[in-house]
Amino acid sequence: MDSEDNSSFGYDAFRRTCPSHTVLETLANKWVYLVVCALRRGRLRNGELARKLEGITPKMLTQTLRILERDGIVRREIFPVIPPRVEYELTELGQNLAGLLNQIRSWSEQHVPDIRDARARASMEPQEDSVARG
Amino acid sequence: MDSEDNSSFGYDAFRRTCPSHTVLETLANKWVYLVVCALRRGRLRNGELARKLEGITPKMLTQTLRILERDGIVRREIFPVIPPRVEYELTELGQNLAGLLNQIRSWSEQHVPDIRDARARASMEPQEDSVARG
DNA sequence: CCGGATCCCTTTCGATACTG
DNA sequence: CAGTATCGAAAGGGATCCGG
């Protein structure tokens, strides 16, 4: 048994043709992260999301929401009123996921200094000491 | 205090100009996920990584590793021998992160059926029942 | 207010071939 | 074995106009 890190159900995200690889590919997206995290505390309207996700264009917001809706992570509720009102909320599956994605977001915030330092060190371009020795 | 989901240090990944946003952007990448997860159990050589990450091209592998190295997530060790031998391993920072990323990978594998079902349902294109009512 | 449809530029990524 | 260079295809993403 060499599948120590694959305690799952025969799926293996390291394999390109594995469906789980596609799922991972979907999640590995900045806007997906942020939208899911934004909805974590409850339902939001389109405009509220747009304001919360600073700089997102309507197009990307809609596109991201459609993907998440298609994958059963977000539920969309349309109120047939004028002016239109649409609300988005996480499904149970989405809430499950949101916990994990939010940890990554939190990690990103907490480790800004570490990464900033690492980049600074990297840009000092340390030269390899000596070399060779067949 | 409306920063309930930002218990961090004034960083806010929802803001485009926030450094944490950039960090999140770096992490929101399929190959980053997989490389970090692959290194989770210990150091690997370039070729070992290439074999584990089915379908990754040398170019993407190198590029991903350089980014991770620059950000202090991966450490690279070069053995000055012929033929060349290079090993990669997670730094402490990287190990910290790997735990989180691996949860996402695991989630992707576990929820393949859920997402497959959701997509199937979505492709049935459910029509909205009635509408309107100013 | 919600969001679909286009146009278009930029970046990314894969495939391939090559060097030390 | 490790890594670089180049090229073309594809996707990401902004701007804008339009419709319900």
Side-chain angles (χ1 to χ4, degrees):
Chain A
M1 176 82 79
D2 64 0
S3 54
E4 308 158 39
D5 53 3
N6 180 12
S7 57
S8 304
F9 308 76
Y11 293 114
D12 180 359
F14 287 113
R15 297 198 156 266
R16 297 190 85 187
T17 54
C18 180
S20 66
H21 185 97
T22 305
V23 173
L24 190 67
E25 219 162 357
T26 301
L27 301 181
N29 176 298
K30 178 178 68 166
W31 295 126
V32 165
Y33 266 75
L34 293 176
V35 167
V36 171
C37 288
L39 290 173
R40 190 157 160 274
R41 287 184 280 156
R43 52 169 52 201
L44 290 175
R45 296 186 59 174
N46 186 311
E48 294 172 324
L49 278 169
R51 275 184 296 279
K52 190 161 181 62
L53 276 63
E54 188 186 84
I56 194 172
T57 58
K59 174 185 165 182
M60 289 313 298
L61 179 54
T62 297
Q63 180 178 311
T64 304
L65 286 166
R66 289 297 168 278
I67 291 170
L68 293 174
E69 192 189 2
R70 180 201 62 182
D71 288 357
I73 290 167
V74 160
R75 185 180 302 115
R76 174 163 146 220
E77 185 169 1
I78 306 172
F79 297 84
V81 297
I82 305 289
R85 178 185 184 91
V86 179
E87 291 184 359
Y88 296 93
E89 66 177 346
L90 296 177
T91 61
E92 280 195 34
L93 185 64
Q95 289 176 37
N96 182 318
L97 177 64
L100 302 184
L101 295 190
N102 199 57
Q103 284 183 56
I104 308 284
R105 184 179 69 86
S106 185
W107 190 94
S108 299
E109 291 170 355
Q110 287 170 28
H111 294 279
V112 164
D114 295 325
I115 291 180
R116 197 200 292 279
D117 291 352
R119 289 185 184 175
R121 265 180 271 112
S123 64
M124 293 194 305
E125 290 290 316
Q127 65 285 356
E128 312 291 341
D129 61 44
S130 74
V131 271
R133 187 197 54 113
Chain B
M1 174 81 78
D2 64 359
S3 56
E4 309 158 37
D5 53 2
N6 182 12
S7 57
S8 305
F9 309 76
Y11 293 113
D12 180 359
F14 287 114
R15 297 198 155 266
R16 297 190 86 187
T17 54
C18 180
S20 66
H21 185 97
T22 305
V23 173
L24 190 67
E25 217 162 358
T26 301
L27 300 182
N29 177 298
K30 178 178 71 169
W31 296 125
V32 165
Y33 267 75
L34 293 176
V35 166
V36 171
C37 287
L39 289 173
R40 190 157 159 274
R41 287 185 280 155
R43 52 169 51 200
L44 290 175
R45 299 184 60 173
N46 186 311
E48 293 172 324
L49 279 169
R51 274 185 296 278
K52 188 161 182 63
L53 277 63
E54 188 187 85
I56 195 172
T57 59
K59 173 184 164 182
M60 288 313 298
L61 180 55
T62 297
Q63 179 178 311
T64 303
L65 286 166
R66 289 296 171 280
I67 290 170
L68 293 174
E69 190 189 3
R70 180 201 63 183
D71 288 356
I73 291 167
V74 158
R75 185 180 303 114
R76 173 161 145 226
E77 186 169 3
I78 306 171
F79 298 84
V81 297
I82 305 289
R85 178 184 185 92
V86 178
E87 292 184 357
Y88 295 93
E89 67 178 345
L90 296 176
T91 60
E92 281 194 34
L93 185 64
Q95 289 175 38
N96 181 318
L97 177 64
L100 301 184
L101 295 190
N102 199 57
Q103 285 183 57
I104 308 282
R105 184 179 68 84
S106 186
W107 190 94
S108 299
E109 292 170 355
Q110 287 169 29
H111 293 280
V112 164
D114 295 324
I115 291 179
R116 197 201 292 278
D117 291 352
R119 289 185 184 174
R121 265 181 270 112
S123 65
M124 294 194 306
E125 291 291 314
Q127 65 285 356
E128 313 291 339
D129 61 44
S130 75
V131 270
R133 188 195 54 111

